[in-house]
Amino acid sequence: MNKEQVMAYVKRNKALLAVTSAAAVVLVSFGAYALLPERSADAGSAGVARYEAPDRGSQGGSPTRMMENGTPFSFADLVERVSPAVVSVTAEEKVSPSDAQDVPEGFKEFFRQFGGRGMPQMKPQARKATSMGSGFIIDKSGLIVTNNHVVDGATKIKVKLPDGRSFDAKLIGTDPATDVALLRVKADKPLPTVEFGNDRALRVGDWVVAVGNPFGLSNTVTAGIVSSIGRDIGNAEQPYTDFIQIDAPINRGNSGGPTFDLRGQVIGMNSMIFSPTGGSIGIGFAIPSSTIKDVVAALQAHGRVARGWLGVQIQPVTPEIAASLGVQDPKGALVASVVPDSPAARAGLRQGDLIVAINGKDVNDAHDVTRRVASLQAGKSAVFTVQRDGQRQAVNVTIGAKKDVQVAANFDPQSGAPAGIAPTGKAMGLGLTALTPEVRRAYNLDESAQGVLVTQVDPDSNAAEQGLQPGDVVVSVRNKAVHTPQDVEKSVAAAHSAGVKSVLLLVTTEGTAHFVAVPIDRT
């Protein structure tokens, strides 16, 4: 074909060529192997991805699936195998409305003034609220796993299987700290099940398949990849979970549903999404199967989960704190305070210790320490490696049992100094004063509080950038106790002379201690 013939062909078929190009873009987005040319039998080597073109002469047969290292591109076989064990969970809860709950806002003041004269006085009735979620069967006798928040407070729980059978479910136990709940149903014959897989073998980029009941649409299947592993989303209600982040679309009603790997094994349970709209934007979080298995085993055996307790308040090691401690790598967890008569106190752990390893295994951050301490068995001994005064030390601690109580709470500090309280010293952009009886009364500080009070903070200072606020009490500077503003000034001046870039302060806010590293290049 000469040049003129080629150009004529292009003009005649330009619309077809444009459609073909657009289709190629779509195929690339779903799987690059669709565009690979067919290879001859002797080309390449074993294990190389291959596309086998369907036999265009046969109209009745289904086309051969795309293959990558022997794994089918389609998820149909996987879904067909696991779907029978994915259930919908409906939880009923009685809600008692207040008298004015259903009264329009504009009429509430009218009824308050006139007592509703001329209107029938009706006693508010308890209402039934229903929530829906998902779950999956892990034992043929009827054990079902779902999220705690799906069944929390429920007075009646029903489970429906894909084959249409429905059962009343009994709640075996829940663990709000991991958002896991265990149910049991009684069936007249063995139920279909799924098995747990190894979430620790997951890698970012691996395929995952989510099955659930979003918006009541039973057995909805979505697919995506692992976006991140070991994700700490900063959820204070679930401090013991390193989430698997996935981009498989999950929505309301997917909660409690399983996430599968390509082997059809459960590697996670869908728990929450990040969304500014309430719908999926491709950022979902699943509880790892390793966490679920441990919790389920405890709930099945005891109806509750027992966790280890150390008795310290810890905080993350920021680059500034690491620099002030002379540590190159900002890993580990800094002990901000030690609970009196706790396992940590009895073992000799101190405020200011940097926990760098537990039982010989390095820790990454404060979240890692929290999770690993919780997994330790009460009554057993554990070795905590800490860095203290520049040296590593091993501390043997007999772990205690964690109680379900809140030891400390977060409070908003006062926004400024009460009238009549003026600073008597300044350092690092902070107005400081000693803890006199007058200051203690003005700031509601008891006699146990020790240190120097912050009365003012320069908004342009490094101290302000690090979060220091009026009402904070500086307990120590560079691990040396301070009692007057002059003590703080001298310690900062000594750090300047020594060429130190930042100083480590121990600060209490409403009685809660924490460390703050303040750069001293400007004050």
Side-chain angles (χ1 to χ4, degrees), residues 416-453:
I421 304 298
T424 58
K426 290 187 177 182
M428 303 177 293
L430 301 175
L432 304 168
T433 190
L435 294 181
T436 64
E438 179 187 8
V439 168
R440 291 181 187 276
R441 286 193 298 270
Y443 282 85
N444 196 28
L445 299 172
D446 59 33
E447 293 298 324
S448 64
Q450 299 294 322
V452 179
L453 182 74

Side-chain angles (χ1 to χ4, degrees), residues 249-296:
I250 55 177
N251 289 282
R252 295 177 182 176
N254 274 110
S255 290
T259 297
F260 297 97
D261 61 15
L262 290 188
R263 297 179 182 84
Q265 296 177 324
V266 178
I267 49 84
M269 176 169 61
N270 303 317
S271 181
M272 61 184 69
I273 62 173
F274 173 82
S275 174
T277 63
S280 173
I281 59 171
I283 303 178
F285 301 97
I287 304 167
S289 59
S290 55
T291 299
I292 302 170
K293 284 191 293 185
D294 291 342
V295 172
V296 165

Side-chain angles (χ1 to χ4, degrees), residues 86-140:
V86 181
V87 303
S88 63
V89 179
T90 304
E92 295 182 3
E93 178 184 2
K94 289 185 178 180
V95 179
S96 299
S98 61
D99 291 353
Q101 181 173 339
D102 297 322
V103 178
E105 189 64 34
F107 291 93
K108 289 182 179 179
E109 182 60 29
F110 174 83
F111 283 114
R112 276 195 293 269
Q113 291 184 16
F114 298 99
R117 288 196 297 269
M119 298 293 292
Q121 300 297 311
M122 299 180 63
K123 183 178 180 180
Q125 300 293 318
R127 298 182 303 171
K128 182 176 69 176
T130 302
S131 62
M132 295 187 66
S134 308
F136 53 99
I137 308 171
I138 61 170
D139 188 274
K140 61 184 180 181

Side-chain angles (χ1 to χ4, degrees), residues 464-504:
E465 291 179 1
Q466 297 303 313
L468 285 168
Q469 300 183 48
D472 288 344
V473 176
V474 179
V475 180
S476 69
V477 180
R478 302 182 72 189
N479 290 323
K480 293 184 179 180
V482 291
H483 303 284
T484 66
Q486 290 68 38
D487 291 342
V488 177
E489 293 170 354
K490 290 178 182 178
S491 295
V492 173
H496 266 299
S497 300
V500 176
K501 294 183 179 180
S502 61
V503 293
L504 187 66

Side-chain angles (χ1 to χ4, degrees), residues 21-271:
S21 299
V25 173
V26 173
L27 286 172
V28 167
S29 68
F30 283 94
Y33 294 114
L35 301 179
L36 292 177
E38 185 176 3
R39 297 169 62 97
S40 61
D42 59 346
S45 59
V48 177
R50 177 177 177 181
Y51 170 65
E52 298 179 356
D55 182 3
R56 300 184 185 277
S58 60
Q59 299 297 323
S62 60
T64 304
R65 294 174 177 175
M66 291 175 287
M67 303 290 290
E68 179 186 358
N69 294 331
T71 302
F73 180 81
S74 172
F75 303 113
D77 291 338
L78 183 155
V79 173
E80 185 177 358
R81 187 170 75 252
V82 303
S83 288
V86 181
V87 303
S88 63
V89 179
T90 304
E92 295 182 3
E93 178 184 2
K94 289 185 178 180
V95 179
S96 299
S98 61
D99 291 353
Q101 181 173 339
D102 297 322
V103 178
E105 189 64 34
F107 291 93
K108 289 182 179 179
E109 182 60 29
F110 174 83
F111 283 114
R112 276 195 293 269
Q113 291 184 16
F114 298 99
R117 288 196 297 269
M119 298 293 292
Q121 300 297 311
M122 299 180 63
K123 183 178 180 180
Q125 300 293 318
R127 298 182 303 171
K128 182 176 69 176
T130 302
S131 62
M132 295 187 66
S134 308
F136 53 99
I137 308 171
I138 61 170
D139 188 274
K140 61 184 180 181
S141 66
L143 288 178
I144 298 172
V145 178
T146 187
N147 280 144
N148 171 69
H149 74 260
V150 172
V151 298
D152 186 30
T155 56
K156 185 178 182 181
I157 304 171
K158 294 188 73 70
V159 169
K160 185 175 183 180
L161 274 63
D163 61 13
R165 288 182 291 169
S166 293
F167 302 94
D168 290 329
K170 177 183 178 182
L171 183 63
I172 302 299
T174 67
D175 183 39
T178 55
D179 198 20
V180 175
L182 183 64
L183 311 176
R184 182 186 291 278
V185 298
K186 291 183 178 181
D188 55 0
K189 59 181 180 179
L191 298 175
T193 64
V194 290
E195 62 180 5
F196 287 112
N198 182 12
D199 65 90
R200 294 187 175 92
L202 284 177
R203 297 185 301 165
V204 173
D206 280 348
W207 281 106
V208 290
V209 176
V211 185
N213 305 287
F215 307 109
L217 301 172
S218 62
N219 270 59
T220 296
V221 180
T222 57
I225 63 169
V226 175
S227 303
S228 181
I229 295 173
R231 180 70 80 190
D232 176 12
I233 62 175
N235 185 0
E237 295 181 354
Q238 293 177 247
Y240 309 116
T241 302
D242 289 325
F243 288 93
I244 303 168
Q245 182 181 331
I246 62 175
D247 77 345
I250 55 177
N251 289 282
R252 295 177 182 176
N254 274 110
S255 290
T259 297
F260 297 97
D261 61 15
L262 290 188
R263 297 179 182 84
Q265 296 177 324
V266 178
I267 49 84
M269 176 169 61
N270 303 317
S271 181

